Amino acid sequence: SACGRCEEWEVALGMLEEMRECWLQPTVVSYGAAISVCEKGQEWELALSLLAEMKACNVEGNVASYSAALSACARGEAQEPALSLLRSMEDANLSPNIISYNAAMAACYSAQRAESLISEARSRSLQPDIV
């Protein structure tokens, strides 16, 4: 998105708010774009907040929106929130993909945790490419 390129997460959030003011329901794509912008702006807490807002508004997240939030956690070196988010994907009936695992591993400052995720990804026939 244009907001993502300039890393203006405030603009993306403003656009979501404008949608609501016009009685338009933001979609998973709208939220996903805003979450991606938060990742680029190193606003991992805000990315997680948007993911929670999606759920509260009955907008089903997808692997891309969760992976974007995981990438935001990685940028913020937020290991525990990233690991919790990865686990919550299963609760949402979503299968993490290689992007999800790579982002979660990037958030890990514990080598042991990262190695555990590598093993888990490989058990799903995924080949992580970040260590």
Side-chain angles (χ1 to χ4, degrees):
S1 74
C3 297
R5 286 191 295 275
C6 61
E7 297 184 11
E8 294 183 15
W9 55 269
E10 299 99 339
V11 173
L13 295 180
M15 288 179 171
L16 283 178
E17 186 57 35
E18 284 183 33
M19 287 180 77
R20 288 186 208 98
E21 288 172 2
C22 293
W23 298 94
L24 298 172
Q25 173 65 38
T27 65
V28 67
V29 174
S30 309
Y31 277 109
I35 292 168
S36 290
V37 172
C38 290
E39 180 254 328
K40 290 169 181 59
Q42 298 185 8
E43 296 287 335
W44 66 270
E45 291 168 317
L46 191 50
L48 295 181
S49 172
L50 287 171
L51 207 56
E53 182 180 311
M54 285 175 61
K55 194 174 193 175
C57 292
N58 294 318
V59 177
E60 286 188 39
N62 58 21
V63 173
S65 56
Y66 275 78
S67 293
L70 282 163
S71 292
C73 289
R75 283 239 178 159
E77 298 178 351
Q79 175 180 282
E80 294 306 320
L83 295 174
S84 177
L85 183 58
L86 186 67
R87 300 294 168 243
S88 73
M89 289 179 76
E90 298 287 333
D91 296 337
N93 294 317
L94 297 172
S95 295
N97 63 16
I98 194 62
I99 296 167
S100 310
Y101 277 103
N102 283 344
M105 283 184 278
C108 289
Y109 45 82
S110 162
Q112 183 178 3
R113 291 261 174 107
E115 288 171 9
S116 171
L117 289 176
I118 290 170
S119 296
E120 184 178 322
R122 287 184 176 150
S123 75
R124 294 174 179 251
S125 300
L126 299 172
Q127 287 300 320
D129 58 9
I130 188 168
V131 182

